[in-house]
């Protein structure tokens, strides 16, 4: 299994992603964490396509809304790519769209086969954790009902063994929600990774490392 999980895009470790992937090629870009914000969706996608292209990747947008209740098709589509790039937004909306399309099961299967690299930031990283409790202080679960017409789920994919707090001391978090959540996790003894926008968690086979 190969995972590249960050707070913001490549963090400070773009080269480490390239080492995981090898030669940059096609990448499926999943932006469904932004589905509750239709007016911002296209701009959010474009803001990720540009740096990916500059790094040598050939990104294709894979909209999970096109695969609702079509799990075999989403798995087949994902198999076309050596890497998937899952951008930030609302973690609960992303989790719902993963479940509605079957991408959660497909990605779990493909990662177990080491068929692709999963690169995700912010919500794209948090969705792989054991559960999403605590993230509601940063992402609004109620947006799931508006964007997806279903109730929010609180389980993550469980592909890493602890929770992730993104945007620690980041300009994108001026009110300090991340720092407050870290304090709550520490007080409760909950294992977690607190990531600044430079940090990256890399899983490469049996090895897990936090790059600062």
């Amino acid at each position: 299994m190969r995972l590249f999980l960050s707070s913001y895009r490549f963090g400070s470790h773009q080269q480490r992603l390239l080492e995981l992937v090898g030669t940059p090629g096609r990448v499926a870009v999943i932006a469904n964490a932004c589905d509750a914000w239709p007016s911002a969706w296209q701009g959010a996608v474009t803001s990720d396509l540009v740096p990916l292209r500059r790094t040598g990747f050939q990104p294709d947008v894979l909209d999970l809304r096109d695969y609702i209740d079509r799990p075999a098709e989403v798995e087949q589509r994902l198999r076309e790519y050596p890497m998937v790039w899952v951008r930030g937004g609302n973690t609960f909306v992303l989790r719902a769209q993963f479940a509605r399309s079957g991408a959660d099961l497909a990605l779990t299967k493909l990662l177990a086969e080491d068929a692709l690299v999963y690169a995700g930031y912010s919500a794209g990283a948090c969705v792989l954790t054991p559960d999403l409790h605590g993230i509601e202080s940063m992402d609004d679960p109620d947006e799931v009902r508006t964007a997806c017409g279903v109730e929010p789920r609180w389980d993550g994919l469980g592909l890493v063994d602890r929770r992730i707090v993104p945007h620690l001391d980041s300009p994108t978090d001026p009110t300090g929600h991340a720092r407050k959540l870290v304090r709550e996790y520490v007080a409760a003894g909950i294992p977690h990774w607190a990531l600044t926008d430079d940090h990256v968690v890399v899983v490469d086979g049996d090895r897990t490392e936090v790059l600062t």
Side-chain angles (χ1 to χ4, degrees):
M1 183 166 65
R2 290 170 292 159
L3 309 175
F4 182 92
L5 308 178
S6 69
S7 173
Y8 186 69
R9 292 189 181 148
F10 304 111
S12 294
H13 302 281
Q14 177 179 295
Q15 185 58 40
R16 186 68 181 91
L17 176 59
L18 294 175
E19 291 169 3
L20 274 183
V21 175
T23 304
R26 296 180 68 202
V27 54
V29 175
I30 296 176
N32 295 97
C34 298
D35 285 354
W37 316 323
S39 62
W41 202 93
Q42 191 56 55
V45 171
T46 301
S47 72
D48 276 11
L49 298 183
V50 171
L52 284 167
R53 288 184 180 127
R54 285 177 181 161
T55 311
F57 291 101
Q58 296 120 49
D60 297 328
V61 177
L62 195 163
D63 190 340
L64 297 180
R65 292 173 293 188
D66 295 336
Y67 295 89
I68 301 303
D69 297 323
R70 295 162 61 189
E73 292 178 48
V74 80
E75 179 183 334
Q76 183 179 11
R77 180 72 190 281
L78 286 166
R79 284 190 180 278
E80 298 175 11
Y81 296 93
M83 182 175 117
V84 61
W85 176 270
V86 186
R87 68 155 285 129
N90 186 310
T91 308
F92 296 97
V93 172
L94 179 63
R95 179 67 184 97
Q97 301 295 51
F98 269 20
R100 296 174 75 214
S101 64
D104 50 358
L105 301 179
L107 286 168
T108 299
K109 180 179 180 180
L110 294 174
L111 287 164
E113 296 173 8
D114 198 28
L116 51 67
V117 172
Y118 182 106
Y121 72 88
S122 194
C126 293
V127 77
L128 296 195
T129 62
D131 68 82
L132 307 183
H133 290 93
I135 293 295
E136 71 273 13
S137 65
M138 304 175 75
D139 295 344
D140 184 359
D142 289 339
E143 289 187 340
V144 174
R145 299 181 184 93
T146 303
C148 310
V150 297
E151 292 298 306
R153 294 179 58 144
W154 294 84
D155 63 318
L157 272 63
L159 295 179
V160 292
D161 64 359
R162 62 195 65 199
R163 300 181 192 178
I164 290 174
V165 182
H167 307 306
L168 185 67
D169 301 329
S170 168
T172 64
D173 182 27
T175 54
H177 289 301
R179 178 63 65 181
K180 181 175 183 292
L181 184 55
V182 168
R183 288 197 296 267
E184 292 174 1
Y185 285 167
V186 170
I190 295 171
H192 64 279
W193 288 303
L195 305 182
T196 72
D197 287 347
D198 291 330
H199 294 166
V200 175
V201 176
V202 173
V203 177
D204 189 359
D206 295 332
R207 183 182 180 192
T208 299
E209 57 184 331
V210 180
L211 308 179
T212 61

